[in-house]
Amino acid sequence: MAMKVGVIGLGSMGMGAALSLLRAGHEVTGCDMREAARDEFAAAGGAAAARAADLPQGTEAVVVLVVNAAQTEAALFGEGGAASRLKPGAVIVSSATMAPDAARALAAQAEGRGFLYLDAPVSGGAVKARAGEMTVMGAGSEAAFAAAQPVLDAIATKVWRLGDQVGIGATVKVVHQLLAGVHIAVAAEAMALGIRAGADPQALYDVVTSAAGNSWMFENRMARVLTGDDAPRSAVDIFVKDLGLVTEMARGLDFPVPLASQAQQLFTAARAMGQGGKDDGFVIRVWQAMTGIKLPGE
């Protein structure tokens, strides 16, 4: 069933979602402040807008793929937000990584205005997003899932239904980001150690990715380190934020997270070095600064 859908945030994941929705036959408007992102989406055949308030009147579903809860709230309910353009009973698919309490607060605002709300953070990376193959960690009412189903069918190959209580999707994503951030940091540490010890970086990569010590993050991120490709798919700054959500959630539960805390400090150090906008695998430049190693291609 074709729907009138807005996608707010045309970053690496949002652009993929918007293009996937367009391929599925939906009437899609992509919103982003960046002219280059709007131009790219328009060139693919979609409609583009600079502000969420410029979504078509009667939009039936909106996917919000911005950075955090504050941006989500502004995009939906702030001055220039999308709320005034949504059809009564429209479904909000909220996919930014945020704290569970923030997800619950946004759901309360949405429901107070007569909208359905799906707590639906995503994973998969830019390539899977463009292929319509994301993983969705969803929580919300049966009505919200039903209303969002055509959207979910277009953007994801795996939709986890984690319950009807908003906040559990956000919880699972925060736990996921603990693993993702620690895996990236330790992948960088391992590659840096190997380089310092004199191992050929490509040979090291080939051995690890064929053996039990491999991880998806090592394979994906260190491949870009080997080619010097630091253009951000997911930036260092994202893990400064997301690992902060991990430590915040853990603190509220009196739960120790020493590995996540250390990884956050490494990403914070990379940001302090001016690397915050670089691909997150380039947290390896922290070890480069400390030890003087040369990365491949440098």
Side-chain angles (χ1 to χ4, degrees):
M1 180 180 68
M3 297 177 70
K4 188 182 290 186
V5 185
V7 177
I8 302 175
L10 296 176
S12 57
M13 301 294 279
M15 181 65 78
L19 292 171
S20 297
L21 286 159
L22 199 61
R23 282 197 308 272
H26 297 289
E27 181 185 334
V28 188
T29 301
C31 299
D32 201 289
M33 295 176 62
R34 297 168 300 140
E35 185 177 3
R38 297 196 304 272
D39 288 347
E40 179 183 349
F41 188 57
R51 304 185 312 147
D54 295 327
L55 285 174
Q57 193 66 49
T59 294
E60 299 167 274
V62 60
V63 182
V64 189
L65 272 160
V66 293
V67 172
N68 54 28
Q71 287 189 8
T72 301
E73 183 174 24
L76 291 170
F77 308 121
E79 184 178 350
S84 65
R85 313 299 287 177
L86 301 183
K87 180 180 179 180
V91 62
I92 295 167
V93 180
S94 178
S95 296
T97 302
M98 63 182 69
D101 285 346
R104 287 187 280 266
L106 285 168
Q109 287 195 65
E111 290 160 6
R113 295 169 183 249
F115 303 128
L116 298 167
Y117 185 95
L118 199 64
D119 171 24
V122 296
S123 184
V127 172
K128 286 192 174 182
R130 285 185 177 248
E133 297 176 352
M134 292 193 293
T135 295
V136 174
M137 306 163 211
S141 67
E142 285 294 328
F145 272 109
Q149 195 63 53
V151 171
L152 300 175
D153 288 344
I155 68 173
T157 51
K158 182 63 180 179
V159 178
W160 290 98
R161 292 191 173 217
L162 299 171
D164 59 2
Q165 297 300 310
V166 166
I168 192 63
T171 296
V172 171
K173 180 60 188 288
V174 169
V175 172
H176 174 275
Q177 293 304 87
L178 183 161
L179 289 165
V182 169
H183 284 183
I184 294 167
V186 77
E189 181 173 279
M191 180 62 78
L193 176 62
I195 292 171
R196 177 61 182 266
D200 175 76
Q202 185 64 57
L204 175 61
Y205 176 86
D206 292 342
V207 170
V208 171
T209 55
S210 68
N214 191 31
S215 70
W216 190 90
M217 286 300 189
F218 182 95
E219 187 165 349
N220 182 267
R221 291 337 196 244
M222 292 306 104
R224 297 203 281 270
V225 167
L226 288 174
T227 61
D229 180 9
D230 64 5
R233 284 73 165 180
S234 173
V236 164
D237 280 340
I238 294 294
F239 277 97
V240 175
K241 171 187 74 76
D242 287 0
L243 289 170
L245 292 173
V246 172
T247 57
E248 175 188 327
M249 187 173 82
R251 186 165 52 249
L253 297 168
D254 292 328
F255 190 92
V257 284
L259 298 180
S261 299
Q262 184 60 53
Q264 187 194 23
Q265 289 300 303
L266 292 165
F267 285 103
T268 300
R271 180 167 70 178
M273 292 167 52
Q275 300 298 307
K278 302 300 185 182
D279 195 75
D280 51 32
F282 284 82
V283 69
I284 196 172
R285 287 183 173 141
V286 173
W287 286 273
Q288 183 181 32
M290 290 190 293
T291 66
I293 61 172
K294 290 190 178 298
L295 299 182
E298 295 184 353

